[in-house]
Structure formats: structure tokens, C-alpha cells
Amino acid sequence: MTEILDRIRASLVGLRMARALEALDHTLRRLERGEITAIEAIDGLLAEEHVTREGRRVTVAVKTARLMPIKTLESFDFSFQPSLDRGRILALAQLHFIERAEVVHLLGPPGTGKSHLATALGVEAVRAGKRVYRASLAEIIDALSRAERDGRLPEKLRFFSRNSLLIVDEIGYLPITPGGANLFFQLVNHRYEKGAMILTSNRGFAEWGEVFGDPVVATALLDRLLHHAIVVQIEGASYRLRAHADLMPEHTRAHATIAPPPQPKRRGRPPKDGRIDQLHG
């Protein structure tokens, strides 16, 4: 018996199954006491190892995807944003939009949870084994601009396009550098009908000509980004400012919703397959 156990331990070491090795003695004691069967013992050891390895994989993938700090759908306060239909947002977490190479637009004022939701959906995609990358629009344009100067633009476009899901955060927050709109269009065109995207913005589509500094390029962008699109409009309060409304300047308070809006009336039933073609609240 001792010889067999030594061989098992050596095999676990050779296979780099450190967690299964740690659990081996406890599993054997349970087996000897008749608490589990032999097949259950094998299943338990493999499950311990799998959970540990999966945890490591997700941790590394989340960091590589730039989804830190981690946000989850479980930690999102839907009660503070009643304009959002929780069921429909959770339907997005089924990730069918990634399989269909669709674009999810999360639109709304600052602080309403757009980046939280985008990151949380990215985490769900990582858990499902999808390749994900997240960056702000300014960061993406800066990376593309540097690559263009260095003669590596095709390589950088391939880098941003190889992911199943690309999350582009903060569209409309910072001015676009000269030529940036064109570079972003090349990326969108590269991914068109090939890879899914999530875009967050505090500006409506009618303002994209101003955002990108070029109405022609903005129109071309929207032509592709709205072709296979899911639009989620968040009409609510700033979660970050919920406790500091009295500290905001008067002119800001006049144009910002601090208290959550009333629950909107539902319009019809959601599609049976859970797909969201457009969500207005």
C-alpha cells in the first residue's frame, strides 16, 4: 500500500497537481472510513485540482485583459439604477452577443455604472474562456498612433482584433487627437462582423461628429457600430456622487440627476431568447 501511495504522490508531483497532492491524505482517510467510494475519491481529487487551476487561469486572464479592479454583476446596485432591467442585463451575461460578433453600447451620464457593467461582462467572458481586452478610447488611439509612427500599425490592429471581446471605455470624455478618429475607424472596420465589442459613452450618437472631430468618420463608425448593435441607455443618478449632492456646485446640480429617477413603465415583454436589441430604460 505504501509503495502504491508513493507512486501516486510521485505522479501527482510529475503532473504538477499540487492541490490534488495536498488533498490526497484527507481523501484517503475519508475513503478508509467509508464516507466516499473510490470513484468519488478520484472525482474529488480531480475537482480540487481543476478548481485551483481555473482560479489561477481566471486571475491571470483578468489581469491580462486589464479588467482590474474586478467588477461583477453581483456587486452592481441595480436598486440605485431602476432604469435598468436586471433580467435583460443578466441576459447579456449569457454572452450570446459575443458569439454573434455584436456591439453593446452602454450610454449614460458619468457615474451611472457603464464601466462597472462593461467590466463585469468582460469578467463573465473571461470565466467562459473568452479572450478579452479593455482600454479607454484615448488609450487605444494613443497605442494606434504610436504604432503608426513606428510602422507597426497592422500588427497593433491585429493585437486589438484577436480578442473575442474588445471593451472600449470612456468615449466622449477626452478630446480625440488629430488622426485618431481615422485610426479608430480602421480598428472598428478590422473587427466588423468578426469580433464583439462593448462601448461606453456619456455622449449620444448625434454628438459623435463632435466627439471624433469629423462628422464623416463618425458617420462611417456608426454605420458599422450600429449594424449589429445592442443599445443600453442608462438614465439615472451618479452612484459616486450619491452621498455628496450638497457639495456639488449649483450650476452642476441643475444639470445632474443625483437622486435615482422613478421606476419607468415597462413597454412590452422582453424577447424569449433574451436578446436585447435596444433598451431605453
Side-chain angles (χ1 to χ4, degrees):
M1 186 67 173
T2 302
E3 185 179 342
I4 294 175
L5 286 176
D6 288 342
R7 285 204 304 269
I8 292 173
R9 290 190 177 94
S11 295
L12 293 176
V13 169
L15 292 170
R16 299 182 180 179
M17 298 176 67
R19 180 59 193 138
L21 182 62
E22 290 176 5
L24 178 61
D25 289 340
H26 175 68
T27 301
L28 289 174
R29 285 194 294 271
R30 293 189 64 202
L31 185 60
E32 290 170 354
R33 292 194 297 264
E35 297 175 2
I36 55 175
T37 64
I39 194 69
E40 288 173 332
I42 295 172
D43 177 59
L45 288 174
L46 292 177
E48 289 275 1
E49 185 66 32
H50 181 262
V51 168
T52 300
R53 291 193 181 193
E54 184 63 10
R56 285 198 298 264
R57 181 194 70 79
V58 170
T59 298
V60 171
V62 162
K63 289 180 179 178
T64 302
R66 302 177 80 242
L67 295 171
M68 303 293 288
I70 292 179
K71 304 290 184 181
T72 66
L73 292 176
E74 291 80 11
S75 65
F76 187 82
D77 189 356
F78 284 94
S79 66
F80 193 79
Q81 297 297 3
S83 67
L84 284 172
D85 185 320
R86 181 190 182 103
R88 289 188 168 186
I89 295 299
L90 294 180
L92 282 174
Q94 300 301 311
L95 308 178
H96 298 310
F97 76 95
I98 295 180
E99 298 165 10
R100 296 190 289 252
E102 293 175 332
V103 180
V104 176
H105 297 269
L106 300 175
L107 308 179
T112 50
K114 302 181 301 296
S115 294
H116 185 133
L117 289 173
T119 301
L121 289 171
V123 170
E124 289 298 320
V126 165
R127 288 173 176 166
K130 308 290 186 183
R131 202 168 187 171
V132 180
Y133 192 80
R134 171 181 172 266
S136 69
L137 176 63
E139 290 170 331
I140 288 175
I141 288 178
D142 180 62
L144 292 174
S145 297
R146 285 187 280 108
E148 185 178 43
R149 288 195 300 270
D150 297 340
R152 298 182 296 102
L153 182 57
E155 177 186 338
K156 185 58 69 173
L157 288 171
R158 285 194 298 272
F159 168 79
F160 283 124
S161 298
R162 70 187 183 188
N163 302 284
S164 300
L165 174 62
L166 177 64
I167 300 173
V168 184
D169 210 1
E170 301 177 350
I171 295 175
Y173 284 79
L174 295 174
I176 304 298
T177 56
N182 246 309
L183 290 170
F184 186 57
F185 172 77
Q186 290 186 59
L187 173 57
V188 169
N189 198 45
H190 214 264
R191 292 186 62 88
Y192 178 57
E193 295 188 325
K194 298 175 185 173
M197 299 176 71
I198 297 178
L199 310 181
T200 74
S201 179
N202 65 334
R203 309 286 289 274
F205 298 131
E207 301 176 85
W208 276 36
E210 177 187 343
V211 169
F212 286 93
D214 189 329
V216 174
V217 174
T219 299
L221 279 168
L222 290 172
D223 179 64
R224 286 156 178 77
L225 292 174
L226 292 177
H227 185 203
H228 306 289
I230 299 166
V231 179
V232 179
Q233 181 75 44
I234 308 175
E235 300 172 356
S238 170
Y239 187 80
R240 290 188 289 267
L241 297 178
R242 67 196 184 283
H244 305 291
D246 57 327
L247 301 180
M248 293 180 65
E250 187 63 37
H251 73 279
T252 304
R253 258 183 283 168
H255 295 88
T257 304
I258 302 303
Q263 177 67 46
K265 294 181 179 180
R266 294 280 180 84
R267 297 179 182 176
R269 296 181 179 178
K272 291 182 179 180
D273 65 356
R275 178 173 176 176
I276 309 169
D277 289 319
Q278 186 157 359
L279 175 60
H280 287 291

